[in-house]
Amino acid sequence: MKKVMMTVFKIVLILIAVVVVGVVALILFALHKESNYYKYTEAVGEIEQKYTAFGDKEVSCQEYDANDDVIGKYAVWYPSELESSNTQYPVVIFANGTGSTSSTYKPFLTHLSSWGFISVGNDDENTRTGASLEETIKFLIAENEKKDSIFYHKIDLDNIGIAGHSQGGPAVFNMVTNQEHGSMVKALYAASATSSYHTMVMADGWEYDISRVNIPTFLTAGTGSWDAGNATSKEQVTDDKNGVAQGICPLWSLQENYSLLPETVDKVIARKKNVDHGDSYKQFDGYMTAWFVYHLQGDTEAGKAFAIGGELSANSLYQDVQTNINE
């Protein structure tokens, strides 16, 4: 009997060990996939594939105390060559989604910097007013003038882009239209920006007037249930009992924002199939990168993706594409 019990005990221990090893392996794979998300992102267009891949720049990171309890810190990713170069680099500042910090987007911003950008995040978890983006620009202006900073005269302040995810959408719109240094921003991108239905309901700094945005603007979302919902207009109220759901960034919202943007600016909207809210910023990374390479680095080949009838419009992974590019 004792031998039987020992055998059973050993089997149980082996099973526990197998389960533990399996769980650890799954966790490690998840971490690997998160850090290397661009290797698992579906991309079929030539330009999309090019910019979904990691760029040719090695990337470094510096963190700075913001001396602000809301902002927490500034995290700055940049091409490592910057430290020994006299070149100026364009900037993209990123606005977090609700409850997220710069660490949430670390792989994403590292990827962007590999294409020759200074990518900047902060730890503001409620970015909607654009105030933390304003402070981030002021921080960059100061760093660019500090003789003991590695960024001294290496930040191209004439080529600043801003991007945001979810609540970060209202943040980038409000940064451009309401903040002191909004006029310094040259190009804008928002993934799954919170719709005007939700900003109206929540108020408290959420609302924005995108009709006042006068710079190139690229807006994206997914077709998954959290982004898309099933409501077809702003007038439909979320009603669980009757099965009405306003998505965070439904098609009607993208189309509304597109129509409100001035005809004089470059503007593009698109939805990626089988993509939902939490993953949308990563799934659009290739075209977002191409957007900033075009507008901040002057690469016209990257810009061809957004032309009427261009690659994005023909890409089988996308739908509901509308584009207005002023030649």
Side-chain angles (χ1 to χ4, degrees):
M1 186 66 167
K2 187 175 181 180
K3 288 184 178 181
V4 172
M5 292 299 293
M6 286 299 296
T7 300
V8 171
F9 181 67
K10 288 179 180 179
I11 291 172
V12 171
L13 286 178
I14 291 171
L15 290 173
I16 291 173
V18 169
V19 170
V20 170
V21 169
V23 169
V24 170
L26 287 172
I27 292 172
L28 290 175
F29 178 71
L31 292 172
H32 166 79
K33 190 173 181 180
E34 175 65 21
S35 297
N36 297 274
Y37 71 91
Y38 49 87
K39 295 180 180 179
Y40 300 91
T41 300
E42 190 175 7
V44 298
E46 183 178 347
I47 295 172
E48 181 188 27
Q49 289 178 335
K50 176 178 178 178
Y51 292 107
T52 295
F54 205 78
D56 63 0
K57 309 288 186 187
E58 182 181 339
V59 178
S60 298
C61 181
Q62 296 280 346
E63 294 185 350
Y64 301 83
D65 187 347
N67 297 312
D68 183 297
D69 291 340
V70 172
I71 297 174
K73 70 182 180 189
Y74 301 112
V76 187
W77 290 266
Y78 57 94
S80 302
E81 65 185 30
L82 173 148
E83 296 180 16
S84 57
S85 168
N86 292 320
T87 302
Q88 287 189 322
Y89 295 82
V91 180
V92 176
I93 305 170
F94 195 80
N96 307 318
T98 304
S100 299
T101 65
S102 58
S103 62
T104 306
Y105 302 98
K106 177 180 178 180
F108 178 74
L109 295 175
T110 300
H111 174 275
L112 185 58
S113 286
S114 76
W115 284 99
F117 295 95
I118 297 172
S119 305
V120 190
N122 61 51
D123 284 1
D124 182 5
E125 298 182 20
N126 293 284
T127 56
R128 58 190 179 274
T129 65
S132 60
L133 291 172
E134 168 69 15
E135 293 304 314
T136 303
I137 285 188
K138 290 198 278 190
F139 159 76
L140 291 170
I141 293 171
E143 284 298 307
N144 201 46
E145 294 303 319
K146 285 183 181 177
K147 291 187 177 180
D148 60 349
S149 170
I150 61 170
F151 299 109
Y152 178 61
H153 288 180
K154 295 178 182 178
I155 302 173
D156 185 354
L157 297 175
D158 291 327
N159 284 291
I160 297 176
I162 54 174
H165 173 232
S166 193
Q167 185 179 162
V172 296
F173 305 146
N174 285 326
M175 170 63 208
V176 170
T177 58
N178 297 338
Q179 300 295 336
E180 179 184 356
H181 291 88
S183 60
M184 293 183 68
V185 179
K186 188 174 180 180
L188 183 155
Y189 169 76
S192 302
T194 309
S195 79
S196 59
Y197 170 86
H198 292 292
T199 61
M200 175 184 64
V201 170
M202 291 182 285
D204 189 29
W206 280 85
E207 294 181 290
Y208 54 83
D209 181 2
I210 200 170
S211 70
R212 294 170 54 216
V213 173
N214 60 359
I215 57 174
T217 299
F218 182 24
L219 307 176
T220 64
T223 61
S225 59
W226 280 99
D227 253 4
N230 59 19
T232 57
S233 73
K234 183 177 182 175
E235 285 67 39
Q236 289 180 278
V237 177
T238 294
D239 184 347
D240 293 337
K241 183 178 179 181
N242 292 306
V244 177
Q246 280 282 2
I248 296 171
C249 187
L251 178 59
W252 69 256
S253 177
L254 282 179
Q255 293 174 333
E256 174 186 78
N257 284 336
Y258 182 87
S259 66
L260 288 171
L261 284 163
E263 290 298 317
T264 53
V265 304
D266 289 359
K267 56 181 178 178
V268 179
I269 61 170
R271 294 202 298 168
K272 193 169 186 179
K273 301 172 184 177
N274 304 314
V275 168
D276 215 340
H277 189 75
D279 205 34
S280 62
Y281 68 96
K282 290 182 286 189
Q283 288 293 324
F284 277 96
D285 195 6
Y287 282 132
M288 180 208 72
T289 302
W291 183 255
F292 286 127
V293 167
Y294 174 40
H295 286 289
L296 304 183
Q297 295 181 5
D299 189 325
T300 55
E301 288 300 309
K304 289 180 180 179
F306 309 103
I308 296 173
E311 181 181 295
L312 177 58
S313 297
N315 193 318
S316 62
L317 299 178
Y318 298 82
Q319 63 182 56
D320 307 306
V321 178
Q322 289 182 252
T323 184
N324 179 73
I325 302 297
N326 295 280
E327 298 297 339

